[in-house]
Amino acid sequence: MSEHINKAGDLGQIREHLLYLKELGVGLVTAPDDLNADRPAVDRPGTKNELTQVNADLIATTVKIPPPDAASTIDKRSSAISRLRSLPRLSKRTDPAVMGTGAAPDEMIKKTGLTGDRSTIEAIEAIRNEIGQECSRCSLCSLGRSQVVNSVGNTNARLMFVGEAPGADEDRIGEPFVGRAGQLLTDIIEKGLEIPREQVFIGNINRCRPPGNRAPEPDEAAACKPFLLREIETVKPKVIVVLGATAAHNLLDVKTPISKMRGQFHDYMGVKVMPTFHPAYLLRDPNKKREVWEDIKLVRALLNELAE
Ligand code: URA
């Protein structure tokens, strides 16, 4: 009976995973041998069995997950982490009011669209108010923006996402990542990381839409970025995923191509930062989803490690 239940649970999880991989465009997947070692051969994906049958409707092809190179990943990560330890860090949360102890009243959550404890919501609200809806700190205010698009999510999030600037949908709705790229980001968060989107914090380097979705100019980014940095200082995420070259270059103050930055953690004031390809780029080149999936697996592993 319990074996039966476990098998049903396994099947559900594997089905969910295959669906996600399929969405990410990963064509061929079989579980690595070490994942299969404790399973009877009949249950192993990739063999002609009940499971393969169940998944036949999900994937037209046989699927292959490359086995993780655990040793080299850990080596790479520990040397990167010890290097990161010597860099400047965000201040620790010492004020008990900022430790998540003061629950935010429902009206505050409803009014701001933010979740978290009272004092961090208030701090993010103060930043929003300082920016104002009529912000004119850079030229984007007169280049066709409809509104300032502020960061959203959980102000005590362990994980934060940073994009470039709002697109047409975000400009219309007033929230970051709500268009097609945003839907893909939601899948990455909810299916890849298995975290509800509302539990992470999501912002952009620039809060106003650049005309024709061009990248923000350096002076535009410089005018807006300080507010995002203050939000990072308030939320104190454990990990930041930075989406695309423009956001990565602006947050980390480097010019390295994104393809060279991704796949390893960088440092922003003691916070681990994983640069990866922007979801809008994945919509144009779905082959790059495999690399994003690799980056997301590193983020997931680090979040688990930091939770232990
Ligand atoms: N692209 C971004 O970088 N940010 C958004 O909010 C939407 C699309």
Side-chain angles (χ1 to χ4, degrees):
M1 174 70 174
S2 73
E3 200 187 311
H4 181 73
I5 291 170
N6 283 344
K7 201 157 139 189
D10 277 359
L11 284 177
Q13 274 189 8
I14 291 167
R15 178 191 292 273
E16 184 63 25
H17 234 66
L18 287 168
L19 268 173
Y20 175 64
L21 289 168
K22 195 175 168 218
E23 258 155 33
L24 285 183
V26 179
L28 292 180
V29 188
T30 32
D33 287 349
D34 55 344
L35 283 184
N36 288 324
D38 58 353
R39 288 197 195 174
V42 71
D43 274 350
R44 291 180 193 165
T47 59
K48 273 206 179 308
N49 59 31
E50 184 190 343
L51 196 55
T52 317
Q53 201 52 49
V54 169
N55 291 322
D57 55 332
L58 295 180
I59 34 167
T61 50
T62 316
V63 192
K64 234 180 212 263
I65 299 175
D69 183 355
S72 77
T73 306
I74 288 166
D75 275 2
K76 242 173 66 197
R77 214 169 50 223
S78 42
S79 76
I81 286 173
S82 60
R83 188 171 43 77
L84 297 181
R85 283 212 175 98
S86 59
L87 296 169
R89 310 174 76 76
L90 292 185
S91 61
K92 285 231 157 46
R93 288 185 190 175
T94 46
D95 172 4
V98 197
M99 302 274 298
T101 47
D106 286 349
E107 318 84 76
M108 183 184 264
I109 291 174
K110 211 160 145 195
K111 179 171 154 262
T112 61
L114 298 164
T115 58
D117 67 80
R118 178 196 282 266
S119 59
T120 50
I121 292 183
E122 280 171 355
I124 298 293
E125 260 294 83
I127 294 169
R128 288 180 175 181
N129 290 337
E130 192 178 324
I131 296 167
Q133 264 306 316
E134 304 306 322
C135 179
S136 59
R137 290 172 182 82
C138 82
S139 46
L140 293 178
C141 66
S142 57
L143 295 176
R145 69 134 196 246
S146 319
Q147 56 185 317
V148 173
V149 178
N150 284 307
S151 311
V152 291
N154 186 327
T155 57
N156 303 113
R158 299 173 70 233
L159 177 61
M160 181 163 173
F161 288 83
V162 173
E164 180 178 309
D169 293 310
E170 291 75 20
D171 178 67
R172 185 169 44 83
I173 294 168
E175 195 176 312
F177 285 100
V178 290
R180 278 182 71 223
Q183 182 52 54
L184 188 49
L185 178 62
T186 304
D187 287 347
I188 290 169
I189 297 168
E190 300 206 330
K191 295 182 178 152
L193 289 159
E194 298 177 329
I195 303 174
R197 176 174 158 131
E198 57 277 10
Q199 277 183 25
V200 305
F201 195 75
I202 305 177
N204 280 308
I205 298 285
N206 271 89
R207 294 174 196 239
C208 294
R209 182 189 182 203
N213 293 345
R214 67 155 167 79
E217 298 291 347
D219 60 326
E220 295 162 349
C224 211
K225 185 173 88 167
F227 297 107
L228 180 81
L229 301 187
R230 279 167 58 191
E231 288 180 333
I232 296 174
E233 171 67 35
T234 301
V235 175
K236 298 189 191 307
K238 297 277 183 214
V239 182
I240 299 174
V241 176
V242 67
L243 302 162
T246 306
H249 293 167
N250 275 293
L251 182 68
L252 297 171
D253 234 344
V254 294
K255 292 206 160 86
T256 318
I258 185 78
S259 54
K260 295 222 159 55
M261 296 177 80
R262 60 149 296 275
Q264 52 195 310
F265 287 103
H266 299 250
D267 174 88
Y268 172 73
M269 298 290 285
V271 182
K272 309 286 183 298
V273 178
M274 174 60 77
T276 196
F277 295 123
H278 194 287
Y281 179 52
L282 300 184
L283 292 172
R284 294 195 298 274
D285 184 357
N287 289 330
K288 292 287 183 281
K289 289 179 179 178
R290 183 182 282 275
E291 276 124 298
V292 172
W293 175 230
E294 293 302 325
D295 299 340
I296 290 302
K297 281 195 289 186
L298 291 174
V299 169
R300 191 164 68 177
L302 180 61
L303 284 172
N304 287 340
E305 195 178 299
L306 294 174
E308 280 161 11

